[in-house]
Amino acid sequence: MSEAIKDKVWDTLIAVIAEILEDLGEEPGDLTRETMLVGDLGLSSVEAIHIAIMLENKLRVALDFERLAVRDGEYVDDLSVGAMQDFVVETIANHVQRA
């Protein structure tokens, strides 16, 4: 996948997270690939799903959030910003390959 797509996904993801944090009255600060949605940012699972929905709308791609949020039949406790970026980029790459 091209760096331009990865960069667009990153920029969109950071903007979405910042918007949600601002709505909660929080400052986004410096977000890195290692930043954890729950542990570092204090977001709930509902807010993580809201991030996915906003990404779908902004990037015009359907995301199977369950594939990201479930490991070995159990919901994960936390997700990194980098894991979300990788998941979205992979989803876009798979969609392009099928088209």
Side-chain angles (χ1 to χ4, degrees):
M1 184 67 26
S2 77
E3 288 301 312
I5 296 294
K6 289 179 184 177
D7 290 345
K8 179 177 180 174
V9 169
W10 178 258
D11 292 344
T12 304
L13 177 57
I14 296 305
V16 164
I17 292 170
E19 182 178 333
I20 288 174
L21 287 171
E22 288 168 6
D23 286 348
L24 296 170
E26 302 290 331
E27 290 290 323
D30 292 328
L31 300 174
T32 68
R33 287 186 49 81
E34 292 75 30
T35 302
M36 301 301 287
L37 297 179
V38 176
D40 295 325
L41 301 177
L43 297 177
S44 69
S45 59
V46 171
E47 290 153 345
I49 291 169
H50 191 196
I51 290 170
I53 292 167
M54 290 175 72
L55 287 171
E56 284 181 324
N57 292 336
K58 290 181 182 293
L59 296 171
R60 296 190 173 118
V61 62
L63 299 173
D64 181 1
F65 191 70
E66 190 171 333
R67 274 190 42 235
L68 175 65
V70 176
R71 297 283 186 266
D72 299 322
E74 300 286 328
Y75 281 97
V76 296
D77 293 331
D78 207 348
L79 292 168
S80 70
V81 176
M84 287 201 77
Q85 178 195 22
D86 294 345
F87 173 73
V88 175
V89 169
E90 177 185 316
T91 300
I92 291 169
N94 290 338
H95 179 73
V96 168
Q97 288 175 352
R98 283 188 238 136

